[in-house]
């Protein structure tokens, strides 16, 4: 994505530098009117990235998903309800924490 401002977290260098988040939406937007998930409370008008969450390095949470995490998900959950619940946590969840 490029380098991000360490305090404001928006991308300041590279292809995505100062890319504005759209306010041109039909129904899905956050409380600031940006085309983001309704639960996303980010008020910044630019694409943002951060290497920390709540003051902790992103990789300290669960790290990066590996082949074992995917394989374990496929062999340990045989019904869709369990699979659907657990795929959100790991291996899918850490990707969002790590890339912003």
């Amino acid at each position: 994505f490029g380098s991000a401002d360490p305090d404001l977290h928006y991308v300041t260098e590279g292809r995505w530098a100062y890319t504005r988040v759209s306010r041109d939406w039909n129904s899905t937007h956050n409380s600031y009117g940006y085309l983001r998930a309704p639960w996303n409370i980010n008020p910044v008008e630019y694409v943002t990235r951060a290497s920390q969450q709540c003051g902790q390095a992103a990789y300290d949470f669960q790290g990066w998903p590996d082949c074992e995490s995917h394989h374990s998900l496929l062999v340990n959950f045989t019904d869709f309800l369990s699979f659907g619940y657990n795929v959100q946590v790991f291996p899918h969840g850490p990707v969002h924490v790590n890339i912003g």
Side-chain angles (χ1 to χ4, degrees):
F1 283 92
S3 298
D5 182 285
D7 297 317
L8 300 174
H9 306 294
Y10 51 79
V11 181
T12 57
E13 296 177 13
R15 179 180 183 148
W16 304 104
Y18 302 101
T19 299
R20 283 193 164 87
V21 177
S22 179
R23 285 187 173 217
D24 182 20
W25 46 268
N26 291 325
S27 61
T28 303
H29 60 281
N30 72 1
S31 57
Y32 296 96
Y34 293 112
L35 185 60
R36 290 186 167 121
W39 54 85
N40 184 323
I41 59 169
N42 186 349
V44 179
E45 67 178 309
Y46 301 111
V47 171
T48 57
R49 292 293 174 260
S51 61
Q52 295 187 352
Q53 184 170 342
C54 300
Q56 185 176 0
Y59 282 99
D60 290 348
F61 284 92
Q62 291 179 308
W64 193 254
D66 56 13
C67 292
E68 177 57 34
S69 64
H70 288 81
H71 181 262
S72 177
L73 182 71
L74 295 173
V75 298
N76 291 324
F77 302 102
T78 57
D79 63 282
F80 185 74
L81 179 63
S82 298
F83 174 85
Y85 176 80
N86 285 281
V87 74
Q88 299 174 61
V89 180
F90 202 83
H92 177 83
V95 173
H96 290 281
V97 174
N98 289 315
I99 65 172

